[in-house]
Amino acid sequence: AQKVTQAQTEISVVEKEDVTLDCVYETRDTTYYLFWYKQPPSGELVFLIRRNSFDEQNEISGRYSWNFQKSTSSFNFTITASQVVDSAVYFCALTAGANSKLTFGKGITLSVRP
Amino acid sequence: KAGVTQTPRYLIKTRGQQVTLSCSPISGHRSVSWYQQTPGQGLQFLFEYFSETQRNKGNFPGRFSGRQFSNSRSEMNVSTLELGDSALYLCASSPRAFQETQYFGPGTRLLVL
């Protein structure tokens, strides 16, 4: 069985601060994919990033970066120089094995104050 | 390319009724998955369809069912509605199968009175 834990529930920052969202996952499969999605108040889940279990290279994409560490089963997501438009609920998700089912964490509510 | 579309966007029903929700995937996508989102349980997987076949099913009662058509459009049906079925129902599509990125629609907000 898969499990995703997002220990942080709510984070509040002031605009231009950097913020890191934590995610810890559990799976027995050796092949798996990790995702981050953003859910603004409108409700639609917006895909942000995807990483597979064989690639631990961490990357930066614009203001987003992520830190994938298999040794600690963590897949943390950082927003640099946060903006008010970044205010949303952020979900970490996992899919593993021959399966398309996404297992989501409980989500982190990020509030960016001007 | 147009994104995933879901209709209706909002729905109000009463207990005991049934409801059908519709999802049109991104053009060319053949896999459609459905998720239920509630404040208490979060995002939970309902089922996934690929090439008109249900490939995977979550832990929901038989009142929840779905189907996929030859054009990859999908519908889900909930019969004998209960108050606890009030939720945001999200549909997602992906090109093929297995660990591909799923792209979500705006959801259907169902309120059961």
Side-chain angles (χ1 to χ4, degrees), chain B residues 16 19 24 26 31 34 49 51 54 88 93 99 104-106 111:
Chain B
V19 67
S24 292
I26 292 171
S31 173
W34 288 88
Y49 287 88
S51 292
Q54 185 182 87
L88 177 65
S93 75
Q99 303 167 350
F104 285 81
L111 176 61

Side-chain angles (χ1 to χ4, degrees), chain B residues 34-83:
Chain B
W34 288 88
Y35 294 82
Q36 181 197 63
Q37 185 177 24
T38 60
Q41 299 299 317
L43 279 154
Q44 293 184 288
F45 171 78
L46 281 158
F47 27 64
E48 184 220 352
Y49 287 88
F50 180 78
S51 292
E52 301 178 64
T53 302
Q54 185 182 87
R55 259 204 322 208
N56 200 358
K57 190 176 191 302
N59 189 24
F60 279 82
R63 300 185 297 107
F64 291 81
S65 63
R67 58 178 176 168
Q68 186 181 33
F69 302 95
S70 58
N71 61 359
S72 295
R73 190 177 70 84
S74 177
E75 288 181 348
M76 67 163 280
N77 184 76
V78 188
S79 61
T80 319
L81 284 165
E82 300 177 359
L83 295 180

